[in-house]
Amino acid sequence: MDHGAIHSVFASLTEKQEEALRLACQHLTSKQIAQELGVAPVTIDKRIDAVRAKLGHMPRVEVLRHYRAWAEAYDRTIDDPTILTPPLSSAASTTAQPQERPYVFEDSLAFDARAPWDRSSDWLQPRIRPSDLGISGKLLLIALGAVAIMAVAVLSMAFANALATML
């Protein structure tokens, strides 16, 4: 697709699509953009996918590079001017990725293990989240919790009673 066609697609974007692309150019994930705008992450993905469809299903990073070039050409501001790196060379790198750094893929931005707001359910077994449990699973979990609390209360009263008889 030539630059003129790409620029005409960007000129015809809705305000919400343009806002999603602008925030994506700031290295925000769909979840972070959704959190900032107060919408669901799937909504952000749909907005960006609609733009990608207009551009022949171009990879997301390429869309963001073209959007940045279009925004700079038409004096539109994107908060941080040094967001996207130049395109990677066509030869794939065979060097090992350092363990302490996030993985970087040719067709994407950087992926970290988990976002900070997703770390709240670390007390559960891996791969099991409260949203994965059905209504019966949640009720069973509540019932088991109530039984555990009652057992602690009974044992505490028995211990207090044993101490009282010893004195």
Side-chain angles (χ1 to χ4, degrees), residues 34-81:
Q35 195 173 31
E36 187 169 321
L37 298 180
V39 297
V42 71
T43 305
I44 300 303
D45 289 336
K46 285 182 180 179
R47 289 176 186 172
I48 294 174
D49 285 343
V51 176
R52 288 184 59 225
K54 291 178 185 178
L55 295 172
H57 298 285
M58 186 182 291
R60 184 172 174 153
V61 172
E62 288 298 315
V63 170
L64 296 178
R65 282 189 187 112
H66 286 293
Y67 178 75
R68 173 165 296 290
W70 174 78
E72 289 172 354
Y74 292 97
D75 291 330
R76 296 185 180 247
T77 14
I78 298 176
D79 298 333
D80 186 2

Side-chain angles (χ1 to χ4, degrees), residues 27 88 95-114:
H27 277 293
L88 298 172
T95 59
Q97 182 82 24
Q99 289 287 32
E100 65 275 357
R101 296 189 40 121
Y103 291 110
V104 179
F105 297 99
E106 197 172 304
D107 191 28
S108 64
L109 298 174
F111 289 99
D112 278 330
R114 291 172 62 185

